[in-house]
Amino acid sequence: MPTDRDYQWYEASVMDAPDDMRQFRRIFSDYFSFAPRLYREDFCGTFSHAVEWVKYHPENRAWALDLSSEPLAYGLKTHASSLTDEQRKRLKICQQNVMKPIPSKVDIVTAMNFSYSFFKEREVLKDYFRQAYKALKAKGLFLIDVTGGSQSGEPNEEKRRVSMGKGEKSLTYFWEQKSFDPITSEASFAIHFQVAGSARKLRNRFTYEWRLWTIRELREIMAEVGFQRTDVYWEGFNRQGGGNGVFKRRERVENCAVWIAYLAAAKY
Ligand SMILES: C[S@@+](CC[C@H](N)C(=O)[O-])C[C@H]1O[C@@H](n2cnc3c(N)ncnc32)[C@H](O)[C@@H]1O
């Protein structure tokens, strides 16, 4: 079971909530001329997006949904405690299944870090997308991220150095794809960490059993549940061939070893 330290390392390695928020607002503005105020963070884990949301504007409200008490407890200890009482009142933490509705309709729903991939059956994923559609007001945006690439068809491992700030040792973050089954499209993933100067690799701190959905499948299901328009936001490249953090709408691209994209589904 992940510890507080694992959540801290996970967030330092894979999360950039302020940058994600900028991407969410920019993509939202491609569809709607009003500012989104009501936000639902599905599969929220430590709910760092929802915390950024309520900090950003005094009228912003957020609902953060996750099944598991452990990441929620870490979020309450670390992020929620950084909020003022007034900001905290605008944030609702819900330990619940994303399949269950919340009492309010929102402007934007996000499901980040590929978490919808837990749903392996088409009908189940479709049910979830239907819930996301219903959770939105008459006009709203559902935003997910997607990953893939030629490398995702076989076992592989990527690693990255992560600095942990003043007084703390940096670490190496490992993202391992352990398997891929071309018949079921199911894949196993794990996150490992290694602290600088230590010979020990802390293995399998987080593990995931996912189905790797294609963008085309996801768009088709989104259309089937009622979303009027879907768009792929594809990341550009830097000089070294890595992602440059700039996501633009694309309808056709060339595959590469590893890619991450946003998929936006608009209701209007
Ligand atoms: C990959 S983590 C993502 C956490 C966070 N969104 C992030 O970006 O780092 C997936 C999270 O989804 C939660 N989860 C899995 N199935 C769920 C469900 N049906 N309803 C709500 N949460 C779920 C898990 O408890 C876990 O915290």
Side-chain angles (χ1 to χ4, degrees):
M1 193 190 296
T3 62
D4 282 3
R5 191 194 53 185
D6 294 320
Y7 286 118
Q8 187 196 359
W9 288 349
Y10 170 87
E11 288 193 341
S13 304
V14 308
M15 304 285 301
D16 184 348
D19 183 60
D20 288 342
M21 283 292 120
R22 279 190 288 276
Q23 306 277 9
F24 298 172
R25 284 194 300 270
R26 188 182 65 76
I27 293 175
F28 192 90
S29 72
D30 284 348
Y31 297 87
F32 304 111
S33 52
F34 62 95
R37 293 286 167 235
L38 306 181
Y39 170 52
R40 178 173 134 170
E41 182 180 4
D42 279 356
F43 308 96
C44 67
T46 58
F47 57 87
S48 49
H49 289 134
V51 164
E52 280 300 312
W53 190 266
V54 297
K55 280 183 182 169
Y56 181 71
H57 193 279
E59 285 167 38
N60 278 8
R61 298 170 64 80
W63 286 259
L65 278 59
D66 200 287
L67 270 181
S68 170
S69 59
E70 286 101 32
L72 294 178
Y74 178 80
L76 283 166
K77 251 190 285 181
T78 53
H79 305 309
S81 59
S82 73
L83 297 175
T84 65
D85 289 348
E86 189 279 324
Q87 288 168 336
R88 181 68 186 81
K89 279 190 193 134
R90 292 185 278 107
L91 169 64
K92 295 266 179 290
I93 315 294
C94 311
Q95 186 180 354
Q96 69 166 70
N97 199 320
V98 294
M99 294 292 198
K100 274 181 49 191
I102 57 167
S104 304
K105 301 250 180 197
V106 298
D107 300 310
I108 177 164
V109 176
T110 68
M112 289 294 131
N113 275 322
F114 326 113
S115 305
Y116 57 86
S117 314
F118 287 119
F119 300 135
K120 294 180 182 167
E121 302 304 325
R122 195 178 194 283
E123 279 313 303
V124 179
L125 185 69
K126 190 168 171 179
D127 262 358
Y128 169 56
F129 283 2
R130 196 178 285 117
Q131 291 309 324
Y133 184 86
K134 284 192 198 156
L136 293 168
K137 293 200 273 184
K139 292 180 177 186
L141 196 71
F142 178 41
L143 193 58
I144 66 175
D145 54 4
V146 195
T147 186
S150 52
Q151 203 172 281
S152 65
E154 58 198 12
N156 66 81
E157 184 174 77
E158 283 181 41
K159 62 178 179 176
R160 193 155 34 82
R161 191 67 174 254
V162 179
S163 49
M164 291 300 297
K166 251 189 166 173
E168 287 199 57
K169 286 188 175 167
S170 62
L171 55 99
T172 305
Y173 158 84
F174 298 86
W175 173 244
E176 182 187 3
Q177 179 171 349
K178 295 185 179 216
S179 64
F180 176 73
D181 181 332
I183 293 183
T184 62
S185 293
E186 290 181 20
S188 304
F189 295 89
I191 290 175
H192 323 294
F193 299 111
Q194 189 165 11
V195 178
S198 163
R200 191 160 153 240
K201 190 164 169 183
L202 301 163
R203 297 187 58 79
N204 302 316
R205 302 315 301 157
F206 296 90
T207 57
Y208 307 102
E209 298 295 325
W210 283 344
R211 168 165 171 183
L212 296 186
W213 294 92
T214 64
I215 290 179
R216 190 159 183 161
E217 288 168 321
L218 296 167
R219 292 180 94 175
E220 285 170 359
I221 301 171
M222 286 167 161
E224 286 168 26
V225 303
F227 286 104
Q228 280 82 354
R229 175 174 179 153
T230 62
D231 289 290
V232 179
Y233 285 76
W234 196 259
E235 192 176 14
F237 294 103
N238 60 26
R239 282 191 189 148
Q240 292 75 43
N244 66 359
V246 181
F247 291 81
K248 294 198 173 150
R249 276 185 187 167
R250 293 274 184 266
E251 279 303 326
R252 290 195 172 266
V253 292
E254 278 181 24
N255 203 9
C256 58
V258 184
W259 50 258
I260 289 179
Y262 287 108
L263 178 53
K267 173 178 179 181
Y268 42 69

